[in-house]
Structures are given as structure tokens and as C-alpha cells.
Amino acid sequence: MVAPSLRIAHLASEMAPLVKVGGLADVVGALAFEQARRGHHVIVALPRYLTLALPEGWSRRALEPRQVPWGMGREPARYELLEAPDRDLGVLLVDHAGERRFFARAGVYDDPATGEGFPDSAERFLFFTRAALEGLKQIGERFDILHGHDHQAAWAPCFVRTHDAHEPAFRGVVTVLTIHNLGYQGMHDPWVLGLAGFGLEHFYPGSPFEYWGRVNDMKVGLLFADALTTVSPRYASEIQSSPEFGAGLEGVLKRRSADLTGILNGIDDTVWNPATDPHLAARYDRDHLEQKAVNRAALRVACRWPVTPDWPIVGMVSRIAEQKGFDLIEEAAARLMKMELRLVVLGSGKPEYVEMLRCLAAAHPERVSYRDGYDDPLAHRIEGGADLFLMPSRYEPCGLNQMYSMRYGTVPVVRAVGGLADTVEEFDARTGAGTGFRFDRFDSAEMLGALRRALAFHRQAEQWRKLQQNGMSRDFSWRASADGYDRVYQRAIERVRGGRVPTLESVRSRV
């Protein structure tokens, strides 16, 4: 679709290629680049983390520092504006001035020394959101769209309808909040409300700011935003249906159902392309799949596995957490180790599951390889060299690795939830249709059953090649996804121009 050019400001806690912890970074980066490519003027506001990498070739300039409203006083902020060399895309870096107490540390969300979330997360991201809005004001533009991502930026729709309601930069602005993962909501003690600039008279049962005696960042964003999106159609339905997926906010989401749209994430098919991927030992495409064997051999060598027996390789690149199904891996470990497969896992996360994976690798070095942390080149090599990719998620808003895997001819085995159900179709040998293998219940026996079906087809070369080519033929690019956001923006613009702008009073009716 062709949409009118818009001035779009994204607020996010991560963005590839500058800073990445998980899929949020890939989504924000790819969406922003695609929007700029199609003619929108895009700025992404990011915290200026200590670990943030500045892209080569981008211009950079300092902006005037600002004093940011902060409770009863103010805190100093400083800014840099980075600009991409070949498109209308900028990145506003937001930092605390003075002692730089919020972002000048190792880690993005978690303390690397403990593996736990930083105890001042409420302050860090409240400051980021308020400071980002102050920084956007001094750019001297009027924005059409203010698009926040997840709970770290969920206060932005509230601030522009309350504290900044009369600011020229946000006059007539449409606010959008994208839910990337409802399992993380940002819940804090009530004193946080004062830092956000609201008195405790606004904190009472049933208010927009109260959630079971605490302040819930995500709830605030869900109530104030003009439009809500999430990252797959199936997940949009799931989070309204039950506490299992809605995580306590299903009632709020159901009441805002008319304003909630599920838009399947895309992938950057220039970065994730086996025909051009610089990280692979050999490039290939759907018509030259024999070269995938070269990458498989290179991955086997990297994992220090023997040549024989030549078992299929199952890959996982993931945050190591219950959400991603590692409790199923733990429960099924003994049975997995009796199957004719090898497992390579890359990721970091919950210490008990990290230790479980280390123990498995130590006890079965000929079968299991585990790498703690995130290594982008290795992630590409796993996608290129593995035969299967396992994603047994408890819930999955969208998932990206199943789409990367299909693009690389690596067959996904997934639990049929959220975006996994939207993107992976069970293979049917009779018709030759399908792209992978699915299981329904969150159950280790069902997971193993799906793996056994996959391994059985892996022994049938003709069927397996058909299955690989089916996946490699799918188009998961950001082009269709960006069309979806254009449609959401235009519908919301019409509502705001029609005078339907939320206020503190009107938002109470949404609770």
C-alpha cells in the first residue's frame, strides 16, 4: 500500500544494530528502516547504554542538554542525534547527565554480575521516557506518530496526553503502543507515581495507575494509547482470552479490543539470507540446498562433535527462560539423550536452566553443545548448519527464529501458540504442503512426539527437501508488516482528527 509520508518517533529500549538483547531490537530496527525506506521520516529514541555500538558511517551531533521533570524536581539529560547516511532515519540517544546514574553500566536490563534485573529499573525507564520526550521537543518538528514499544516506553502515551498535552511537537499526535511480550509488564511500588509527576490521589483501586496495589507500566500504556498492536494475530487473540496469556491484563485488553491489532513481525531478509550471509561457510538458496551440508559440517566441527554417528542437528537460539520452554527441555532431558539427534543451544538467562544445559553438555559432549551469551555470527551459523530448530515455548508473542529457520531451510519444531502457530504449518506428506512440525499442549511428551515425526521425515530425502523448499519459499519480509502499521496509523489518525483523544478523565472508563 502507498501511505502518506508521516513523521514517526519510536521510543524503545533496544534497536539493532546499536544495542540488542532479544527480538525487540530486531523488530524496532527493521521496522524503522523499512518505514524510512518507504518515505516516512523516522526517529528512534534509545537509552545511551554503556554497551551501545555506534554504526559506522552515521553522522552524530550533540543536542542541547535539558532539565527533565522528575517528581518534585528535575534531573539533567544529555542527547546525541545520530543520522543514517542513506535514508531519512535518525536515532536520538538519551542519557542522564551529571553522574550518568541510569545507563552508564554493564548490562541493559539485568546486572551481568547477578543475572537479575537492575533494582532501579522503574527509575531508569521512567527517566528515559520523560527525557526522550524532552529531546524530541527540541528537534523542532511536529510528530504525527509517537510509537512506544513494551513497558519500558509505555508511559509515553500518558505523558503526551497529560503533562505535554499542549506541546507544539505533540499537537494532534497519534500514540501507539506495541506489546512485544506481555509477560514483562514493569510493576513497581506506588512511590514511582510521584516520579512520573502524579500525586497519590490518583492511586486508588480501579484507577489507570493502580494494579493490585502496585503501579503497572504496561497497564498505563494500554489505557492511554490511541492504538494498540501486538506482534502476531494469534497472540492478539490469546492475550484477551485468558490469564494464561493475558497475564492479568486480559480484561483491559478485551475492553480495548476494537483498538488492538495483531501484526505479524517480519524479518530483515537482507541480513537473514543464506545466499549472501557472510557468517556462513557456504552460501546457498532453495535451488542449491546441497551447500547447506557444508555449513552443517562446519557447525559440527565448531561443536567438537565426531563425524559419526551422523545424527541430525537440532538448534536453539533463545533467551534461557521458562517462557521459552526450557522446563520442558529439563523434564525431557533423559529421553532426549536417547534420541538420534544432537543439540546446540546459544543463549543466556535463568541460572538454573543455564546450569542444566552446562551439565547436559558436560555429561554428553558428543551430543550437546551449549554457548552462554549471545553471539550473532554463531546464531547465523546455527541457522545455516542445523537440520531442525526447536521452539517449545510456553507462550510466544511472535518469534523470529522460526522465520529465520525457514529462510535457511532449517525445519522448525514448535509449540502451536502465538506467532509460532501463525507462521509454521504442520507438514502433510500426502499433499506436500507444510513448513514444519507442531505440538499443541505444553507437555514434554508432545514435544518429543513432534521431534520424532521430524526425525522420521529427515530420513526421507525427497520429502525433506520438499519441506525445506516450502519454508524457503515463504515471504516473511518487513514489507507486509510495515503495510499493517501504515493501516493502523491511518485509522488512528482519523480517530484523533475526529476529536477522540484520551484524557485522564476519559481513560478511567477504559479500566
Side-chain angles (χ1 to χ4, degrees), residues 280-303:
L280 298 186
R283 281 57 155 182
Y284 61 96
D285 57 29
R286 67 187 300 274
D287 298 319
H288 302 89
L289 271 165
E290 63 279 359
Q291 291 300 307
K292 186 171 169 63
V294 178
N295 295 290
R296 189 173 182 275
L299 181 60
R300 176 183 52 75
V301 170
C303 294

Side-chain angles (χ1 to χ4, degrees), residues 489-505:
Y489 292 164
Q490 290 304 320
R491 288 197 301 268
I493 286 171
E494 290 169 11
R495 288 200 302 273
V496 169
R497 286 176 179 168
R500 287 176 286 176
V501 178
T503 63
L504 188 54
E505 288 300 318

Side-chain angles (χ1 to χ4, degrees), residues 128-155:
F128 160 66
T129 304
R130 295 216 73 179
L133 296 179
E134 292 295 318
L136 291 172
K137 291 176 196 176
Q138 70 165 303
I139 289 174
E141 300 174 359
R142 187 191 65 78
F143 291 94
D144 300 298
I145 306 293
L146 185 71
H147 191 154
H149 295 268
D150 263 352
H151 73 86
Q152 292 90 354
W155 279 90

Side-chain angles (χ1 to χ4, degrees), residues 203-217:
F203 188 80
Y204 53 85
S207 89
F209 305 110
E210 189 273 343
Y211 179 86
W212 296 98
R214 307 193 79 194
V215 171
N216 183 319
D217 298 342

